[in-house]
Amino acid sequence: MTAAPPLFEVDPCFLGRLAVLANEQGRPIDPRVVGTRHGLRGEPVPLATVTAVGRDAGFGISPCRLSWDALGCVPLPALMVFRDRSTAILDAVLGDPPHSVLIREDGPDAPPLSLDHDDLAPLWGGEILLLETLGAIG
């Protein structure tokens, strides 16, 4: 794994993904309140804001760039950052070496999407947001 580039930016949809994960962990957050607090307005969000929003949502966030073969080492869940800067929840990496991943873009009722390397290669350049659940916030 390598560190993410310094100009790393993410579409603000990442906050919705964090809200889904926080809710699944029994720590519901209101993405509108958190987004307003951090000035999210629809344009790409710089890494400093991404990490601040993550802390507010109860997650430590570490960006990295890795290869398809390294996906098996990623602690899950994580957020995949696509070439268009949008995100999806990475729920599972299947196989060793990986032959496919399960991702979802919406809440817990949304079925996961299975993508193999050929499906994912045009969409994903290797950027991941690693998530660590933080202790009590406040």
Side-chain angles (χ1 to χ4, degrees):
M1 285 188 258
T2 59
L7 298 177
F8 192 91
E9 291 185 326
V10 179
D11 185 281
C13 70
F14 83 97
L15 178 53
R17 315 296 184 240
L18 291 181
V20 166
L21 293 171
N23 188 54
E24 290 175 356
Q25 295 177 1
R27 303 177 295 107
I29 64 166
D30 184 336
R32 292 169 301 191
V33 171
V34 175
T36 299
R37 187 177 306 139
H38 292 279
L40 302 187
R41 293 184 182 84
E43 60 269 350
V45 180
L47 182 57
T49 303
V50 170
T51 56
V53 168
R55 275 191 309 275
D56 206 1
F59 295 98
I61 295 181
S62 301
C64 68
R65 178 172 285 149
L66 44 81
S67 68
W68 173 264
D69 290 335
L71 280 172
C73 299
V74 171
L76 300 174
L79 295 182
M80 297 189 94
V81 181
F82 298 109
R83 294 181 193 278
D84 69 356
R85 314 322 295 152
S86 66
T87 59
I89 299 168
L90 175 61
D91 280 322
V93 178
L94 307 175
D96 184 17
H99 59 75
S100 60
V101 296
L102 296 179
I103 64 168
R104 62 188 156 118
E105 295 181 323
D106 295 313
D109 296 331
L113 178 63
S114 178
L115 298 173
D116 65 20
H117 180 268
D118 292 340
D119 294 330
L120 198 57
L123 307 172
W124 180 67
E127 293 176 338
I128 293 274
L129 295 175
L130 301 176
L131 305 175
E132 176 187 359
T133 301
L134 300 176
I137 307 292

